[in-house]
């Protein structure tokens, strides 16, 4: 894959605080990369470094194979969309779109052509003469995207663009951004703390924590094969159940032992690497546990329903099992009163095992 | 039975229910409550305390000297005359010459306008640079500037006299304008820096991505958004410089004395009878400019003060 943005050994520190340390990242041409993490993990900082708004203390940034580490933001071939929209309040939508082009001394006809094109793509034609204060949140963000669009750049940078919108608008604009990416085929780097946005939009997700990329993979891999407990716990809502126990041996096969209860590890991909006695954490997603009549296979477990949370499409059960509380997702039509005894079975092919010490996936 | 229950709730409610009024909507409030009497009483007293001297001044300035000699300072003029005003403006004596306050007025205008414009222009660019372009040593520079605001003026007067003399502009209006500009710098820079810091940082970033430079961002993005704070700075400077006495008397020659210094000379000159009416008129004339500035821009001033409130 042709590289569009390439980051080599990037470091950034504010005084004694290292925000980024020796970060390496390659982003392919036309790829939609999402930087995901909780606040303070350095994802916005990384984006600002790529944009040229923050100066790194070490390392290099390449855009289209050109070293832009010391370049001004305008010379990097990037457009950026901000969380607060950052539209110039005293200018009309049209002026907002044309400001950057005017600064670059582009001829008038070309400016008009580009604005017309952006207005058509984003359907903001009727708004061109209005001031930002007269627009709704969704319209403002559309204009902000338009401002990046008219600059005809190689790389789009999004800094939590949907976080200021209400839930309904957010999901609408999410679809629009995805459509935009499919039609423009530009490289897009998108910062968010919202895992749904990350999973739905991304070609690849980079999950960050304390300035370090924890895992860089496609959404499917991130969801099903998280590399460590942080990634596993961060992605998925409600989050993955973690059972702390150890490996034991039953009849020549490794099993997972917690509070005296055995879990067969048949079907787990790396079962041969499990030495008996090793302290491990078993991670099971709520939707990968089968209940009652769906429970099947060689091994079943008994549990009691503690709390039931109906969510419409599905129903979340909090169960007491082997001294743990675990969440299980069942269909919305299946209801369980608190105190009901249920039978469970686990699909080990979809579960994850982590080393209890390093928290890395086994 | 129901009456007894209501009585427990409170006398007002009980009275209302007795009168057959069902509580509904806004609760009725007594106009003459103890709280209101305290509140409005205090406010009225405070207002009187401040307005009475002004009243005495206005009234006295419109009386003739014979009427003043009667000693009824609070009584309104029996015969309204504007002669004291005319005299204060055009022919009152300030020791050497007798052409009234008019000369001082024009001197003050010639001092205030350039000082205000230059100091605001420089301070706004300073504040913008400090808030948005974090250069190396910006914080140290800012701290030094702020500390400067706390050094008593008296300490600096003599050194500045020497500096101005060496530059050959001691006693000129140019010298005084420079002094006013420099002394306005700390507070104005603080004001502008805080205001620009309160503007969303992302606007500045967006403008940089759009390729705008230092001056383009300042003139095309920041300035149009900053009208209220410019009005505040203007009011602060106009009133401050107009009311200045110390610098005016120290750094200029008599022919360039600002209005305040001339006012002092008129009021304090002891030649024959003390003309209270002329003195009052002269004082009101001198105070008129700041007063008008406040009245004209009061609303913008409040808005700007709130926006530029001291912050981080």
């Amino acid at each position: 894959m042709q590289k569009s943005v390439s980051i080599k050994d990037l470091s950034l520190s504010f005084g004694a605080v290292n925000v980024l340390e020796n970060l390496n990242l390659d982003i392919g041409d036309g790829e939609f990369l999402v930087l995901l993490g909780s606040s303070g993990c350095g994802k916005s900082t990384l984006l600002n470094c790529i944009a040229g708004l923050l100066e790194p203390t070490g390392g290099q940034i390449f855009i289209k194979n050109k070293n832009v580490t010391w370049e001004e933001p305008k010379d990097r071939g990037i457009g950026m969309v901000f969380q607060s929209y950052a539209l110039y309040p005293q200018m009309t939508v049209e002026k907002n779109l044309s400001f950057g082009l005017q600064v670059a001394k582009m001829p008038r006809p070309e400016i008009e052509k580009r604005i017309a094109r952006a207005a058509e793509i984003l359907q903001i034609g009727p708004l061109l003469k209005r001031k930002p204060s007269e627009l709704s949140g969704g319209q403002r963000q559309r204009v902000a995207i338009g401002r990046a669009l008219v600059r005809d750049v190689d790389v789009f940078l999004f800094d939590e663009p949907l976080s200021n919108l209400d839930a309904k608008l957010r999901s609408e604009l999410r679809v629009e951004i995805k459509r935009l990416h499919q039609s423009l085929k530009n490289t897009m780097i998108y910062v968010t703390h919202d895992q749904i946005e990350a999973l739905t939009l991304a070609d690849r997700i980079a999950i960050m924590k304390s300035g370090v990329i924890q895992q860089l993979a496609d959404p499917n891999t991130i969801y099903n094969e998280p590399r460590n407990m942080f990634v596993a716990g961060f992605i998925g809502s409600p989050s993955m159940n973690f059972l702390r126990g150890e490996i034991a041996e039953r009849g020549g096969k490794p099993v997972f032992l917690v509070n005296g209860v055995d879990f067969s590890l048949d079907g787990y991909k790396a079962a041969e690497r499990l030495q008996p006695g090793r302290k491990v954490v078993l991670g099971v997603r709520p939707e990968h546990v089968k209940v009652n009549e769906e429970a099947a296979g060689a091994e079943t477990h008994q549990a009691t329903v503690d709390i039931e949370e109906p969510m419409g499409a599905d129903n979340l059960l909090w169960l007491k099992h082997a001294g743990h509380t675990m969440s299980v997702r069942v269909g919305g039509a299946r209801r369980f009163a608190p105190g009901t005894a249920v039978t469970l079975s686990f699909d080990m092919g979809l579960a994850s095992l982590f080393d209890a010490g390093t928290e890395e996936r086994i | 039975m129901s009456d007894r229950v209501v009585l427990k709730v409170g006398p007002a409610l009980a009275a209302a229910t007795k009168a057959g009024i069902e509580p509904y909507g806004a609760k009725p409030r007594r106009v003459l409550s103890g709280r209101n009497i305290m509140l409005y009483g205090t406010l009225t007293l405070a207002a009187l305390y401040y307005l009475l001297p002004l009243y005495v001044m206005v009234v006295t300035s419109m009386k003739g000297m014979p009427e003043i000699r009667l000693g009824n300072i609070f009584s309104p003029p029996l015969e309204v005359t504007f002669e004291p005003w005319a005299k204060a403006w055009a022919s009152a004596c300030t020791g050497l010459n007798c052409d009234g306050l008019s000369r001082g007025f024009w001197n003050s205008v010639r001092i205030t306008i350039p000082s205000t414009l230059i100091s605001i222009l420089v301070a706004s660019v300073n504040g913008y640079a400090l808030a948005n372009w974090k250069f190396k040593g910006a914080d140290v520079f800012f701290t030094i500037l702020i500390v400067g605001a706390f050094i008593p003026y008296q300490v600096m007067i003599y050194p500045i006299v020497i500096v101005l003399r060496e530059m050959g502009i001691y006693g000129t209006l140019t010298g005084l304008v420079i002094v006013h500009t420099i002394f306005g710098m700390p507070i104005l820079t603080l004001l502008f820096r805080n205001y620009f810091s309160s503007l969303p940082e992302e606007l500045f970033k967006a403008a940089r991505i759009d390729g705008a430079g230092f001056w383009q961002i300042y003139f095309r993005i920041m300035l149009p958004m900053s009208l209220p704070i410019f009005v505040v700075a203007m009011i602060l400077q106009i009133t401050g410089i107009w009311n200045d006495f110390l610098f005016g008397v120290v750094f200029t020659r008599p022919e360039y004395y600002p209005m305040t210094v001339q006012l002092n000379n008129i009021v304090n000159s002891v030649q024959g009878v003390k003309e209270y009416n002329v003195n009052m008129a002269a004082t009101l004339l001198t105070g008129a400019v700041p007063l008008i500035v406040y009245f004209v821009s009061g609303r913008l001033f409040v808005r700007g003060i709130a926006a530029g409130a001291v912050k981080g």
Side-chain angles (χ1 to χ4, degrees), chain A residues 317-332:
Chain A
L317 306 178
W318 293 90
L319 306 175
K320 280 200 189 308
H321 169 254
H324 284 79
T325 301
M326 64 160 48
S327 58
V328 172
R329 200 198 293 271
V330 296

Side-chain angles (χ1 to χ4, degrees), chain A residues 273-324:
Chain A
R273 265 180 278 155
L274 300 167
Q275 307 83 3
R278 187 173 180 179
K279 302 272 186 233
V280 293
V281 176
L282 176 70
V284 186
R285 294 211 177 273
E287 52 271 38
H288 294 158
V289 182
K290 299 201 168 68
V291 180
N292 282 357
E293 61 269 26
E294 285 177 358
E299 187 186 75
T300 55
H301 297 261
Q302 296 303 313
T304 338
V305 177
D306 187 21
I307 285 174
E308 185 193 28
E309 287 186 288
M311 298 184 176
D314 44 36
N315 197 357
L316 191 68
L317 306 178
W318 293 90
L319 306 175
K320 280 200 189 308
H321 169 254
H324 284 79

Side-chain angles (χ1 to χ4, degrees), chain A residues 126-147:
Chain A
L127 311 176
L128 285 179
K129 298 289 173 211
R130 291 204 211 160
K131 290 264 178 77
S133 55
E134 298 159 352
L135 304 179
S136 70
Q139 288 169 333
R140 282 180 208 184
Q141 199 50 287
R142 238 179 278 235
V143 175
I145 294 172
R147 196 165 55 182

Side-chain angles (χ1 to χ4, degrees), chain A residues 48 51-53 72-74 78-80 82-91 96 99-100 102-103 147 151, chain B residues 133 199-213 216-226:
Chain A
N48 278 306
L53 295 169
E72 277 294 299
K74 67 175 160 74
I78 49 134
M80 191 156 174
F82 297 91
Q83 176 178 353
S84 66
Y85 326 123
L87 298 177
Y88 311 127
Q90 72 279 9
M91 299 185 195
N96 262 287
F99 180 71
Q102 274 175 13
V103 167
R147 196 165 55 182
R151 300 190 61 230
Chain B
W133 299 83
L199 295 179
E201 199 195 354
E202 294 188 337
L203 266 176
F204 173 73
K205 288 183 175 176
R208 281 197 69 196
I209 301 244
D210 268 342
Q216 271 171 325
I217 296 178
Y218 175 72
F219 282 112
R220 299 191 56 183
I221 309 294
M222 296 298 176
L223 267 197
M225 291 176 67
S226 314

